[in-house]
Amino acid sequence: MKIVVVILVAFIICIGPGLLKAQEEPALPQETVYEEPITQLWLNTYGNIRISDRFFWVAQTHLRFREDDQTPFVGQVRQIYNRHAISYLVSKSFNLSLGGVLRININDDLTENERGSVPEWRIWHEYQFAIPLDRIMIYHRLRIEHRWSQGYAENSEYFFRNRWRYMFKAKIPLNKPYLGPGTLYLSPEAELIMQSGERVVNSPMEDLRLHTSINYIINPRLTVASGLMYSQGQELINGAFFNQRWTMRFHIYFAPDLRKVKNKLPAIHMTE
Amino acid sequence: MPIISSAFFDSLRPQRFVLGIIFLLAFPLQTIGQKSYEGPFSRGNYSGFAEYQFQIIEGDTIFDGSFLFKEFDFDSLLLAQDTFHSFAGNFRTGRPYGSWNFQFGNFTKGDEIQVNNLNYDVRVNGLYHNAYGELINGMPQGYWTHEVYYLKNSERKDLLFKSSINFDQGIPQQSFQVKDDQATLLGRFLRNGLAHDTWELYSQETADIIEKWIFDEGMLTSIVLLSRPKPDTLRIFSEDNNSIKEVTLDEQYIRTINLTKDILGSSNEIQEDIIIKLLRQNASYYEKVRDVLMTLGSSNFAPEYKVQVPYQPLSDQEKVLIDSIKLNYQSSFLIAQRILQNTQYQILQLTDPEVDFLLNAVENHFQKEFLTPLASLVVNEDLMEFLPREKLINIFPDHNMAKYTYTSELDSIKRSIDGIDFNQFQNGGLISIYDISRYANETLDSVQKRLRIKLAAELKREELLGLEKDLIQEVQKFNKKIDSLINVPVASHKKELKRIKDQMTSKLQNYTKISEAEQKIQQAEDLTGCFADAWKLAVQIDSLDERRRILEARYQEDVFNPFTSTIMTEEVKKRITSAYFNILVPYLLQKSQNDLSCEELPELTLLFKSAYQRMLDLKEEDTSKLERKLKGEDDPVEIIELFNLYDIVRQ
């Protein structure tokens, strides 16, 4: 628990200055403007491949759809995600990850001199705490991303931002007392994504995501989920404008164990 | 007068000189070769201390001269009792000659002990037999007396017996007297030793004549009994047309008298004839002395009391008949003995009325009416020539051996064996005796056969009972145990267990329907084992749930789920477990529900057991091949094969 407090404090210290930096002020309306919600649909695969007793290869591939004029949710493909990292299992309660992301953004409004898709690069590191409470599990996930994005226009330049993410997640088993094979569980999560950078003038809150999913553990290596997420966040250009999204999410989580059979430990033996 | 003159000496010539020497030596002649011995001595049953004179003739020690042989043991006397004897007399070259005295005693310490002149004087109580008389060449000569007293403190207290007989060279002469504490017998012998005249028996108390034996030239013609309420005269021997033999008045003669009495129907008195008793006693005391003399090398002592008996030699046919009778009797006797001593018959007697009847018949009818009389003939076979053979059949007490009837308490049914009608016997002699003996033998044989059949059936019945007892025990045990399984509230497989119980119940019902004994015995045995096997199967079925829990727990492995950060247990080797739980076990369970024969039970039990065992083992083994083979396999027999269960079963 101590380590949680330390990192939270460090996080706040890091964020603080960014938040306080004042930039040139764009034209601000009198009141916050909430844009019309957009519907999305995400197909995500999350892989957590065990390559040794303590090391995992995080391999995530996400396909994100967005509505278009005719079709809600799946009208168009907007992003293709590839997130990979190496994760280190310190204990059952705490793990660290370090990796990168390649996100392909697909242009929905193709005009001249615009590319159809642009890549976005990130380096990220993550600190996850898992807190068991009798039957439910609670997770605190701190993720810091360093992000290079660019616009669709030809010869756009990359601009750099930092992303500061904190997610609170709970996993609540429904049909069985404990999380295990055959368990259906409810997973509410709330994530606050803050951003900072030169371009971030008055829109520090990039996204607030509220997502609840129903998950089913097929076996310890395979879980499927589906959920609904409501998210809102300030537009980068003008912090008075909040975009809103309703996203249907469909996930597959897979965690194969690539260790040689004879080297497998039945469980991680820790001193706790 | 010059008696001794030179003339006298001159008259002595050398031959007379030698004669004189011999004459002088004649007197001490006896004493020159004679030696004497004093010291420990034992002959026959007697051992003690002896003082005697003897000569060595041709290397042998020959008694010659005085003889004294004593034995006593003071320590024995003080402790308990002492056997005393003292024999004193004279020998002449190995033969008893002169006065002899034989003393025998069985003493215990008396009540008085005195000290006289520093000599301890110990008195004795006990029996004292004193015999004395003259012997010439080992034969009694003159009056011989035997007295038997009871001593009290070495005083003659009670006269138990006294006999006084006059002999001439071993032949009894003239009058004699034999008495004991109850009666006195006075009798007579002729010069040749033949019993003669009337022998009379007087009572000691009343001095009346109780009995008379009348002899005619040695032949006992009649016995007169005067002491009965009704005086009786018994005819004994008669000349009739038989030849006569002279025999000694000995035990054999006494037996002849007794048997003749029985045959002539003259006596059914159990009481022993007193004269005979006295004669026997007398004979025994004379026998004692005779034994002593025999051990000392002289065997002439037997007194020759003579009597005459009618005598009819046995013809060859009669000899053959006697042998046959003997054989029949011995065989009958053995059969009767075996039957009566057989404890199994005795036990059977208590429950089977026919056996009760047969055993009673053997004891009360055959033994009493047939065997005992036949025995008296067979035992006295040597007397046959002296017995009135035409009347032999009279040894059977009931001339008309009636039907033997007996009602057993067990079923109150009267059963009977036909008797023998004696009127059928033409003559009363050996042929009839032979027929009777043969009848007895054959009937006893058939009784034995019948008893044996009964016993065999009983043994079979007992064996069956024993087996059925075990069977019932096993069945009760089984039912109790299986009910305890079925009736538990959370019992598993109730239906299947109930079905097994029903199967066994129907097996038992089929068993009770069997009537044939041999088959039933076999079945009882088999069924007992069957119930035990059925229970084992029930145990296997009952433990299925428990085993399921164990196996399910066993086939779990812990896996860490990085998404939930928790350790989860998941079921491994699902193909194996599903083949076991979903196909194999239901198949075996189904098999147990069909009507199983007793032989199939152990195999099925073993299959259950070995399948479980195999499952326990397979968890840790490398089963990739097996799992591959199990894919899509739903034939239980094939699965059994893959699990290698038949190897265990075949073992």
Side-chain angles (χ1 to χ4, degrees):
Chain A
M1 270 322 282
K2 258 194 230 171
I3 198 162
V4 179
V5 172
V6 164
I7 292 184
L8 269 173
V9 167
F11 182 68
I12 290 169
I13 291 171
C14 294
I15 274 195
L19 291 170
L20 291 172
K21 225 190 331 194
Q23 306 286 341
E24 331 99 35
E25 304 204 3
L28 288 173
Q30 292 277 23
E31 292 173 348
T32 5
V33 177
Y34 280 91
E35 294 165 17
E36 274 299 305
I38 298 170
T39 57
Q40 296 182 132
L41 185 139
W42 288 1
L43 293 176
N44 298 349
T45 69
Y46 300 80
N48 215 324
I49 300 158
R50 192 164 192 165
I51 49 178
S52 85
D53 288 350
R54 297 226 180 225
F55 284 97
F56 290 78
W57 165 27
V58 175
Q60 296 176 9
T61 310
H62 304 165
L63 199 56
R64 295 186 176 175
F65 296 85
R66 191 179 288 186
E67 63 172 25
D68 65 8
D69 303 323
Q70 292 98 354
T71 323
F73 293 106
V74 293
Q76 49 176 317
V77 179
R78 284 290 297 172
Q79 287 148 350
I80 299 170
Y81 243 92
N82 252 299
R83 184 191 288 274
H84 293 269
I86 294 291
S87 171
Y88 179 76
L89 190 67
V90 174
S91 76
K92 271 199 315 211
S93 313
F94 181 59
N95 62 60
L96 325 153
S97 306
L98 174 67
V101 176
L102 165 63
R103 189 172 89 172
I104 310 281
N105 298 326
I106 299 179
N107 197 344
D108 57 342
D109 188 18
L110 197 60
T111 54
E112 260 195 53
N113 294 335
E114 276 189 353
R115 291 170 287 181
S117 58
V118 292
E120 180 187 291
W121 304 93
R122 301 182 197 170
I123 294 173
W124 59 280
H125 41 113
E126 180 185 288
Y127 310 89
Q128 183 167 275
F129 302 87
I131 318 287
L133 290 183
D134 196 20
R135 293 183 184 185
I136 63 178
M137 289 294 293
I138 287 180
Y139 307 86
H140 303 283
R141 191 181 75 180
L142 297 168
R143 201 183 266 184
I144 300 169
E145 293 178 322
H146 312 284
R147 189 181 180 185
W148 291 265
S149 336
Q150 53 174 294
Y152 291 112
E154 298 277 350
N155 303 320
S156 292
E157 291 214 343
Y158 280 107
F159 62 93
F160 175 77
R161 282 180 285 181
N162 286 323
R163 244 171 153 203
W164 316 87
R165 298 169 71 160
Y166 165 73
M167 177 199 273
F168 172 87
K169 181 155 61 171
K171 293 194 177 171
I172 303 161
L174 297 174
N175 65 339
K176 286 196 180 173
Y178 297 101
L179 295 168
T183 305
L184 198 67
Y185 67 87
L186 186 73
S187 183
E189 40 181 82
E191 188 172 22
L192 178 63
I193 304 177
M194 305 293 286
Q195 59 181 345
S196 65
E198 270 189 4
R199 294 264 188 107
V200 180
V201 175
N202 61 354
S203 54
M205 187 184 100
E206 187 190 321
D207 217 354
L208 173 66
R209 296 177 178 176
L210 304 169
H211 169 222
T212 304
S213 58
I214 300 274
N215 302 49
Y216 178 70
I217 304 174
I218 296 170
N219 63 49
R221 290 165 296 278
L222 193 58
T223 308
V224 293
S226 86
L228 184 63
M229 178 175 77
Y230 169 75
S231 59
Q232 59 168 229
Q234 292 174 302
E235 294 282 3
L236 179 64
I237 312 158
N238 193 335
F241 292 87
F242 284 78
N243 54 45
Q244 296 182 99
R245 287 167 239 259
W246 286 98
T247 312
M248 282 202 300
R249 293 171 65 161
F250 299 96
H251 300 170
I252 295 176
Y253 299 85
F254 57 95
D257 192 331
L258 295 186
R259 296 176 296 174
K260 289 245 182 299
V261 177
K262 64 178 189 274
N263 291 335
K264 269 192 204 171
L265 299 173
I268 302 170
H269 63 98
M270 302 289 168
T271 50
E272 60 209 56
Chain B
M1 304 288 169
I3 301 167
I4 304 165
S5 65
S6 56
F8 173 69
F9 283 111
D10 287 335
S11 68
L12 287 177
R13 291 280 187 267
Q15 59 267 39
R16 284 187 207 147
F17 180 63
V18 172
L19 229 63
I21 302 286
I22 292 169
F23 183 66
L24 278 169
L25 291 172
F27 281 109
L29 192 62
Q30 276 194 4
T31 57
I32 281 179
Q34 216 168 41
K35 302 188 182 5
S36 61
Y37 171 82
E38 215 179 295
F41 184 76
S42 80
R43 282 286 166 98
N45 293 334
Y46 299 100
S47 63
F49 179 87
E51 264 177 52
Y52 58 85
Q53 293 166 321
F54 65 97
Q55 283 196 39
I56 308 279
I57 298 176
E58 286 172 16
D60 292 323
T61 305
I62 305 288
F63 294 120
D64 195 55
S66 65
F67 179 89
L68 172 64
F69 178 25
K70 259 194 205 185
E71 184 193 356
F72 60 89
D73 188 336
F74 187 54
D75 295 321
S76 296
L77 179 72
L78 287 184
L79 273 172
Q81 66 167 33
D82 184 33
T83 317
F84 158 80
H85 75 259
S86 168
F87 313 133
N90 269 290
F91 280 96
R92 226 184 258 186
T93 22
R95 295 228 169 82
Y97 242 94
S99 297
W100 271 84
N101 175 225
F102 298 87
Q103 294 177 56
F104 305 86
N106 228 319
F107 299 139
T108 55
K109 200 178 65 188
D111 306 318
E112 285 176 28
I113 297 176
Q114 304 233 5
V115 179
N116 295 321
N117 246 1
L118 296 178
N119 281 328
Y120 275 85
D121 184 350
V122 182
R123 301 295 166 96
V124 293
N125 298 342
L127 282 173
Y128 174 61
H129 169 208
N130 186 20
Y132 52 92
E134 298 261 329
L135 291 173
I136 291 188
N137 234 351
M139 291 185 288
Q141 181 67 34
Y143 271 95
W144 261 84
T145 313
H146 284 258
E147 349 175 275
V148 180
Y149 283 97
Y150 178 73
L151 299 181
K152 187 103 174 116
N153 289 320
S154 301
E155 300 273 315
R156 288 159 198 218
K157 187 152 181 292
D158 305 313
L159 175 67
L160 300 175
F161 176 86
K162 183 162 178 182
S163 88
S164 186
I165 303 179
N166 191 10
F167 293 93
D168 181 28
Q169 293 196 351
I171 299 174
Q173 311 273 299
Q174 299 161 352
S175 316
F176 73 90
Q177 193 189 81
V178 177
K179 70 182 191 184
D180 68 1
D181 52 345
Q182 291 189 318
T184 306
L185 171 68
L186 290 180
R188 276 195 64 207
F189 288 104
L190 293 175
R191 279 205 179 276
N192 52 13
L194 271 179
H196 186 61
D197 210 1
T198 306
W199 288 14
E200 289 158 341
L201 184 72
Y202 294 88
S203 152
Q204 295 289 28
E205 286 169 28
T206 63
D208 289 333
I209 300 182
I210 311 169
E211 195 175 324
K212 283 199 233 185
W213 281 22
I214 300 172
F215 286 93
D216 181 17
E217 301 280 330
M219 185 172 311
L220 178 63
T221 52
S222 54
I223 294 180
V224 183
L225 303 161
L226 293 164
S227 69
R228 314 274 185 270
K230 191 182 78 178
D232 204 4
T233 305
L234 313 171
R235 299 230 156 271
I236 309 295
F237 301 119
S238 58
E239 272 199 57
D240 282 348
N241 291 319
N242 303 323
S243 28
I244 295 173
K245 202 175 193 187
E246 198 173 274
V247 296
T248 320
L249 200 168
D250 57 7
E251 193 54 41
Q252 193 188 37
Y253 176 73
I254 291 173
R255 277 193 285 133
T256 314
I257 297 175
N258 277 333
L259 203 50
T260 310
K261 279 203 294 184
D262 289 340
I263 291 168
L264 294 180
S266 306
S267 141
N268 33 20
E269 306 292 334
I270 307 161
Q271 198 180 343
E272 194 192 4
D273 192 302
I274 299 179
I275 293 182
I276 287 177
K277 187 175 89 171
L278 285 172
L279 290 174
R280 278 183 168 142
Q281 273 187 299
N282 185 54
S284 74
Y285 292 122
Y286 270 92
E287 191 68 27
K288 221 168 165 186
V289 171
R290 191 176 121 89
D291 281 340
V292 174
L293 286 171
M294 273 191 45
T295 64
L296 296 176
S298 163
S299 52
N300 280 346
F301 189 69
E304 307 254 300
Y305 315 109
K306 293 272 200 299
V307 281
Q308 286 191 329
V309 271
Y311 168 78
Q312 204 183 355
L314 294 169
S315 68
D316 286 333
Q317 193 210 23
E318 283 179 317
K319 284 189 190 144
V320 166
L321 281 171
I322 289 174
D323 280 338
S324 307
I325 292 169
K326 212 158 82 172
L327 285 171
N328 282 337
Y329 166 75
Q330 280 162 353
S331 155
S332 310
F333 179 74
L334 271 175
I335 293 174
Q337 280 286 88
R338 253 188 265 131
I339 288 176
L340 290 175
Q341 284 172 359
N342 188 324
T343 48
Q344 289 177 316
Y345 292 145
Q346 287 169 14
I347 293 171
L348 205 51
Q349 186 182 22
L350 300 170
T351 52
D352 187 329
E354 196 188 339
V355 172
D356 187 22
F357 162 68
L358 288 173
L359 286 182
N360 264 287
V362 170
E363 194 173 353
N364 299 327
H365 179 63
F366 287 100
Q367 258 195 346
K368 215 168 75 172
E369 312 276 0
F370 288 83
L371 295 184
T372 313
L374 280 173
S376 66
L377 275 187
V378 169
V379 154
N380 295 312
E381 189 194 349
D382 52 337
L383 308 179
M384 270 308 163
E385 299 173 312
F386 305 116
L387 298 174
R389 290 206 281 290
E390 336 69 57
K391 304 217 176 83
L392 276 182
I393 200 157
N394 292 342
I395 58 163
F396 294 99
D398 296 325
H399 253 231
N400 236 339
M401 261 186 263
K403 225 160 131 125
Y404 174 75
T405 346
Y406 176 79
T407 307
S408 169
E409 278 174 4
L410 296 167
D411 63 355
S412 304
I413 292 180
K414 204 153 74 160
R415 291 181 178 80
S416 63
I417 292 183
D418 285 334
I420 292 186
D421 179 13
F422 273 55
N423 295 327
Q424 67 184 288
F425 294 117
Q426 245 73 28
N427 72 26
L430 283 170
I431 294 180
S432 308
I433 307 278
Y434 169 74
D435 283 337
I436 294 174
S437 74
R438 202 184 61 178
Y439 164 82
N441 195 27
E442 284 168 359
T443 319
L444 277 170
D445 197 46
S446 68
V447 166
Q448 181 173 243
K449 281 196 176 81
R450 182 97 195 94
L451 284 171
R452 276 183 182 153
I453 291 173
K454 286 238 139 199
L455 190 63
E458 175 66 14
L459 282 175
K460 266 226 172 99
R461 198 178 71 86
E462 262 178 26
E463 186 186 355
L464 186 60
L465 274 179
L467 285 172
E468 282 194 340
K469 204 166 101 173
D470 290 339
L471 177 62
I472 289 170
Q473 239 180 6
E474 196 65 48
V475 170
Q476 284 173 339
K477 218 164 60 171
F478 173 80
N479 281 337
K480 196 162 121 181
K481 288 196 282 192
I482 213 175
D483 281 340
S484 74
L485 289 182
I486 293 176
N487 293 332
V488 168
V490 280
S492 59
H493 304 287
K494 266 190 187 160
K495 189 180 111 219
E496 287 83 0
L497 290 173
K498 185 106 195 0
R499 179 92 188 87
I500 290 190
K501 185 177 173 193
D502 292 341
Q503 281 185 54
M504 294 314 286
T505 308
S506 83
K507 279 194 182 27
L508 192 60
Q509 282 171 347
N510 287 342
Y511 165 80
T512 55
K513 291 192 190 121
I514 300 173
S515 55
E516 201 254 288
E518 196 61 53
Q519 199 191 6
K520 208 161 184 173
I521 287 176
Q522 188 55 47
Q523 264 298 87
E525 252 179 344
D526 291 342
L527 210 52
T528 313
C530 201
F531 271 88
D533 287 338
W535 169 246
K536 286 187 191 138
L537 180 61
V539 163
Q540 293 294 318
I541 292 179
D542 185 59
S543 58
L544 280 176
D545 277 1
E546 175 69 24
R547 285 177 176 176
R548 189 187 196 109
R549 277 192 286 275
I550 292 170
L551 285 175
E552 280 178 349
R554 198 179 179 88
Y555 277 81
Q556 303 273 16
E557 267 187 2
D558 285 340
V559 188
F560 178 70
N561 184 334
F563 290 109
T564 58
S565 293
T566 57
I567 295 175
M568 300 183 175
T569 54
E570 75 162 333
E571 204 190 315
V572 292
K573 301 196 181 184
K574 282 216 177 111
R575 284 218 190 113
I576 295 178
T577 53
S578 93
Y580 176 77
F581 287 121
N582 300 337
I583 301 173
L584 186 52
V585 168
Y587 167 73
L588 293 177
L589 213 52
Q590 181 54 41
K591 255 185 133 177
S592 78
Q593 300 301 289
N594 304 333
D595 270 316
L596 292 167
S597 76
C598 283
E599 294 81 38
E600 292 174 327
L601 285 171
E603 188 181 320
L604 193 53
T605 310
L606 199 51
L607 274 175
F608 270 108
K609 207 156 124 175
S610 57
Y612 172 63
Q613 199 53 52
R614 199 89 184 88
M615 282 298 289
L616 286 174
D617 295 336
L618 281 175
K619 167 64 175 53
E620 301 303 327
E621 287 175 19
D622 180 9
T623 49
S624 41
K625 242 194 188 163
L626 174 62
E627 287 178 75
R628 240 182 294 136
K629 285 192 192 158
L630 280 173
K631 182 174 165 142
E633 184 65 68
D634 55 2
D635 176 17
V637 178
E638 191 57 45
I639 292 179
I640 292 176
E641 195 68 51
L642 285 170
F643 275 27
N644 280 333
L645 297 183
Y646 281 134
D647 289 343
I648 303 173
V649 169
R650 274 181 218 125
Q651 277 167 28

